[in-house]
Amino acid sequence: MTVAANRVDSSVAQTMGDLLSRSPLDHDEDFFLTGGDSLRAVELISRLTEQFAPGDAEKSAELGSMLLVAVFDEATPRSVSAVIQQHLD
């Protein structure tokens, strides 16, 4: 994993933990199994989109769509950060 990918992974884990009022999730911990729900998932998508695609409406919409699928498919920091990293590359 590259340094940039590590930063994205850590940021996602921290954001998930913040939304759950706990420490950052481990890289393979599931957001929903640790207390997340659909409202928090929407907030997660919003925060990550704002962080990783700021100021560009088209890129924000694209990342938001990708994150929506990713979060409800496999909501671990590792899988969500992989989607963000793909978007950034």
Side-chain angles (χ1 to χ4, degrees):
M1 187 178 286
T2 67
V3 173
N6 259 345
R7 281 193 213 127
V8 171
D9 199 35
S10 294
S11 181
V12 170
Q14 180 66 52
T15 302
M16 286 180 168
D18 290 348
L19 287 167
L20 298 172
S21 299
R22 57 163 279 180
S23 60
L25 270 65
D26 289 334
H27 301 293
D28 291 319
E29 268 188 291
D30 188 281
F31 179 74
F32 293 106
L33 296 178
T34 56
D37 55 34
S38 59
L39 292 175
R40 287 186 179 105
V42 170
E43 180 63 23
L44 174 66
I45 292 164
S46 176
R47 288 185 188 188
L48 294 175
T49 300
E50 185 177 308
Q51 182 178 356
F52 292 104
D56 185 327
E58 187 176 326
K59 287 187 179 195
S60 290
E62 180 183 337
L63 179 57
S65 295
M66 293 168 65
L67 287 173
L68 180 64
V69 172
V71 167
F72 286 98
D73 185 37
E74 185 180 347
T76 64
R78 185 180 317 273
S79 65
V80 172
S81 66
V83 169
I84 294 169
Q85 194 61 48
Q86 177 186 9
H87 176 76
L88 294 175
D89 291 343

